[in-house]
Structure formats: C-alpha cells, structure tokens
Amino acid sequence: MRIISLNAWGGRLHEALIGYVRQADPDVLCLQEVLRTPGTSCGWSIYRDAGLELPQRFNLFTEISTALPGHDGFFCPTSKGELFDGDTVIVAEFGLATFVRKTHFVIAQGLDFVHGRFSADGWGEHPRPRNAHCIRLFSHEHASTITIAHMHGLRDPAGKGDTAARDEQAVALIRLIERVWPGDERLVVCGDFNVLPDSSTFTILARLGLSDLVTGYGLVDTRTSYYLKQGRFADYMLVTPEVKVAKFEVVVAPEVSDHRALLLDIG
C-alpha cells in the first residue's frame, strides 16, 4: 500500500501537482489546503488576506478527482470564504481531501475539528479552524485492515512553537483516532502539523504508540525551494510498530508545492 501526504498549497503549482499525483499512483492520498467550489468550472482565483495575494485553484478537489478516476474522494471543509477572479467573487470551501483507491474498502471513518469550529461566513480569525479525517480500510487482496488519519495543524502567526492550543489539538486528534482505530492494528498518522520536531505534539501522540518517520530517518527538510523562510519542518508521517515500512521518502523532485510530499510504502 502506498500512502502520500501533501499540503497542496491551494494548487499553486497546478500542472506539476496533477502530473505527480497521476504518476505516483497512491492507494491513499491525504491532501491539505484544498479548495472546492461545487457547481462551477475549474480555474484560477486570488486569495487576499491583509495585503497578501496568492493564486489558488478554486476547484482543486474536482481536478484531483479527475486525475484519479480510480479513487473515491472525500472532501472535509473547515471554512467557506471569498476568492477573486478580477472583480468577480468566487465563494469557495477550504479544507482537507482524502482519496482512496476503489479496491480498498472504507469500513469506518471519523471527521472532526481539532481546533475551532466550521466558519460558514469567511475564512475565520487566526488561528483559523482546523480539522482531521480518519479512515479505516479493508484490503481484500491482503485480507487486512489499516487505519489512516491526517490533519492540517493550526497556523499561529507567532510561529510553530508549543502552545496550549496545539496541545489541545493533539489531544483532539487522539480522540478522533480512537473513535475509528480499534487499537490492535496498523495506524498511520500524517499531515502538515505546523509544529517543530521537538513539539509536545509528538509526546502526546506517542500515547498511541506512534513514532515519526521524518525525524526518525534523520531528515531535516520537508519544504521545497518555494518556501523562503527559516524552520524547514512542517510535515510528518507517524506509524505504530505494526506498520512494516518498505519505503519512506520525503520527495525532493518534482516540486509540486512549497511543501514536499511524504511517501510511505507499506509491505
């Protein structure tokens, strides 16, 4: 089984992202920073916030769904707000997306907020709402089950250091996982956590027997050349001891976001 986790950056490197997703052919694709605008076509828009303007694919969920016709897609919104195409306002949803190959059966799932609550009338105040999605899969080919969860951790303008809100976020993630995971099978937890490697988040998640592969493999960078700030950590992939790691890679090329994709092959 191949699991990929990636912050899609709103599809800013759209062509490279779509090409990589098709080529990598994951069994499970966990994406953060995905936009969806039901009932519209696909194209570019501009996100504006406090003088910042960022190009975004306003229907990225649909575009990824088209690129992966053999997968079921799950969209998990945190907020609904405005994007702009010139003077035209586009009302879009923002959140997580999970894609699962149709030959794997989703036999249980859970979705909840790990910080804040759904914002229906704008993107929300900083630190903005964040959620997590947890699925339990059955594979007929291997007659086995696995639980996979991913999260987009809250962004604090003050930085990636530990805060009470981040500790509460980690506890909320555990509560969600325990609603789906029976505790006696393989568990993978991944995503853009927006924390540093020494964060108490990992101490809290260790209660489930989880250990991080990024730091465990001695890797020091999960960001691409498009990220120009200091602090090159954001994305993590954690596993329980039952997970047999055949391959783990922080993908250097192609660059499809300001985050690098995390790729896990399970034996």
Side-chain angles (χ1 to χ4, degrees), residues 28-31 72-76 96-100 106 108-114 130-136 147-152 173 176-177 180 188-190:
V28 179
L29 176 63
C30 300
L31 292 179
D72 290 317
F74 303 83
F75 184 73
C76 311
L96 304 176
T98 311
F99 295 88
V100 181
V106 178
Q109 65 176 311
L111 168 66
D112 210 343
F113 281 76
V114 292
R130 291 291 192 254
N131 60 359
H133 187 213
C134 184
I135 56 175
R136 187 173 183 231
T147 300
I148 302 165
H150 72 117
M151 171 182 78
H152 187 192
L173 177 59
L176 173 64
I177 291 169
V180 178
V188 177
V189 179
C190 54

Side-chain angles (χ1 to χ4, degrees), residues 3-8 17 20-21 24 29-32 191 214 219 221-224 235-237 248-264:
I3 302 168
I4 292 178
S5 177
L6 172 67
N7 182 316
L17 173 62
Y20 174 70
V21 164
L29 176 63
C30 300
L31 292 179
Q32 304 88 48
V214 171
L219 302 168
D221 195 345
T222 66
R223 308 304 294 255
T224 70
D235 309 274
Y236 300 92
M237 180 88 71
F248 176 69
E249 179 183 1
V250 176
V251 179
V252 176
E255 293 189 338
V256 298
S257 166
D258 65 338
H259 295 252
R260 295 182 182 179
L262 306 185
L263 182 152
L264 172 64

